[in-house]
Amino acid sequence: MDFRHEWKHEINYSDLLTLRQRLRCVAGQDCHAKEGRYEIRSLYFDTPTDRVLQEKLDGLNVREKFRIRYYDKDTSLIRLEKKVKRGGLCGKESIPLSRRQAQAIVEGEYGWGTGEAEPLLHELCRKMTTQQLRPKTIVDYTREPFVYGPGNVRITLDYNIRTGFLGTDFLNPDCVTIPVRDAPVILEVKWDAFLPGIIRDAVQLKGRRSGAFSKYAACRIYG
C-alpha cells in the first residue's frame, strides 16, 4: 500500500465558490466527473462497540476503515475500499465487487469470502467473522474533483453530505437519506512526495486550518 500526504479543511459555500474558480485556472478536472462533479454513495463498516468511530473521535494516529461505494447511482461498478491512516499520511486499497458480492456482504452473508483469493475481500470477510464488522450506515455526498500532474495532486470539494441513519439498503439508489445538519464543505488535498507551490497557494483560505473532519462520524450523530 502506498501512502500519501493529506490535508482536510472545513470550509463554507462562499469558500467553495472561490476555490472552484481558482482551481479551474490552475488544475485539470477529473475525466470521470460529468459536468465537473459526481455523486458518491458509501456504506461504512463498524463493530458492535463502534470501535472505528471511537478511534476516529479519539484521534488515534494509526487506524483503518472499510467501505463499499459506487458513483452516480451506477451499481454496475462497485468498489470495496480499505483506508489506512498513519499520522498525517493515508493509504488506500481498492478492488471491484460484483453486485452479487456486495449484496451478500450487506445482508451479512460473508462466510464465502474467507475462501476468496483476493486478499482485500478475504480480509474484510475474515474481520466480519473475528471482529464482527458489519455495515453501519450509508453516506452520500457530491464531489468536485481536480487533478494536477506534478506531485500527483488530487483536490476534492465535497458537499451535500447526507446520512442514511442506520440504513444499509446500499444497492437501492433511491433509498431515503437526509442532509447532515450544519455539515460544512470539505476541502481535501492529497499528494505524493511534494505539493507544488501553485496548488498550495490556490487552496489557501484566510482563517482555515487543516482538520480531521470525518463524513462517517458526522453521519453517526444520528445513530
Side-chain angles (χ1 to χ4, degrees), residues 39-96:
E39 304 298 321
I40 297 177
R41 164 160 292 178
S42 298
L43 178 64
Y44 284 84
F45 293 75
D46 212 330
T47 67
T49 58
D50 290 329
R51 189 198 73 235
V52 176
L53 176 61
Q54 196 58 53
E55 289 179 351
K56 171 62 182 178
L57 296 177
D58 291 343
L60 265 64
N61 284 329
V62 179
R63 59 186 186 271
E64 68 178 30
K65 61 186 175 186
F66 285 89
R67 66 193 178 202
I68 52 179
R69 65 171 35 175
Y70 58 88
Y71 301 84
D72 289 329
K73 297 188 176 182
D74 181 6
T75 59
S76 67
L77 181 59
I78 304 168
R79 301 199 69 82
L80 165 64
E81 298 181 349
K82 174 188 175 183
K83 190 170 183 180
V84 178
K85 296 280 288 187
R86 292 181 182 172
L89 300 176
C90 65
K92 185 173 72 174
E93 295 181 60
S94 178
I95 61 167

Side-chain angles (χ1 to χ4, degrees), residues 1-204:
M1 180 186 295
D2 295 326
F3 283 83
R4 285 158 56 80
H5 299 272
E6 180 182 74
W7 278 350
K8 283 188 180 182
H9 298 264
E10 297 181 29
I11 63 176
N12 57 37
Y13 191 73
S14 177
D15 297 330
L16 166 66
L17 297 178
T18 298
L19 287 174
R20 180 188 287 157
Q21 294 304 315
R22 289 183 188 173
L23 291 169
R24 284 175 177 174
C25 293
V26 300
Q29 291 190 328
D30 189 307
C31 62
H32 300 291
K34 300 175 182 177
E35 298 182 354
R37 64 179 61 86
Y38 47 73
E39 304 298 321
I40 297 177
R41 164 160 292 178
S42 298
L43 178 64
Y44 284 84
F45 293 75
D46 212 330
T47 67
T49 58
D50 290 329
R51 189 198 73 235
V52 176
L53 176 61
Q54 196 58 53
E55 289 179 351
K56 171 62 182 178
L57 296 177
D58 291 343
L60 265 64
N61 284 329
V62 179
R63 59 186 186 271
E64 68 178 30
K65 61 186 175 186
F66 285 89
R67 66 193 178 202
I68 52 179
R69 65 171 35 175
Y70 58 88
Y71 301 84
D72 289 329
K73 297 188 176 182
D74 181 6
T75 59
S76 67
L77 181 59
I78 304 168
R79 301 199 69 82
L80 165 64
E81 298 181 349
K82 174 188 175 183
K83 190 170 183 180
V84 178
K85 296 280 288 187
R86 292 181 182 172
L89 300 176
C90 65
K92 185 173 72 174
E93 295 181 60
S94 178
I95 61 167
L97 286 181
S98 69
R99 185 183 176 94
R100 178 188 60 80
Q101 289 172 323
Q103 187 62 41
I105 291 170
V106 169
E107 293 176 355
E109 300 172 5
Y110 50 85
W112 54 272
T114 56
E116 286 286 321
E118 170 51 59
L120 187 58
L121 181 55
H122 175 91
E123 181 182 359
L124 171 64
C125 292
R126 176 171 54 82
K127 289 181 176 178
M128 290 181 76
T129 300
T130 60
Q131 300 179 12
Q132 294 186 289
L133 279 179
R134 294 292 185 274
K136 202 69 171 187
T137 192
I138 292 169
V139 178
D140 288 346
Y141 57 95
T142 302
R143 166 164 287 178
E144 294 187 25
F146 298 85
V147 294
Y148 190 78
N152 189 25
V153 181
R154 182 173 178 81
I155 310 105
T156 55
L157 300 167
D158 297 339
Y159 52 94
N160 291 340
I161 301 171
R162 303 176 65 88
T163 177
F165 291 99
L166 297 180
T168 58
D169 193 9
F170 175 70
L171 293 176
N172 175 8
D174 299 317
C175 77
V176 175
T177 59
I178 66 166
V180 173
R181 184 179 178 183
D182 299 326
V185 177
I186 305 302
L187 163 67
E188 294 187 13
V189 185
K190 297 184 178 72
W191 70 95
D192 288 345
F194 69 99
L195 180 62
I198 191 171
I199 298 299
R200 186 186 298 270
D201 292 343
V203 299
Q204 290 299 315

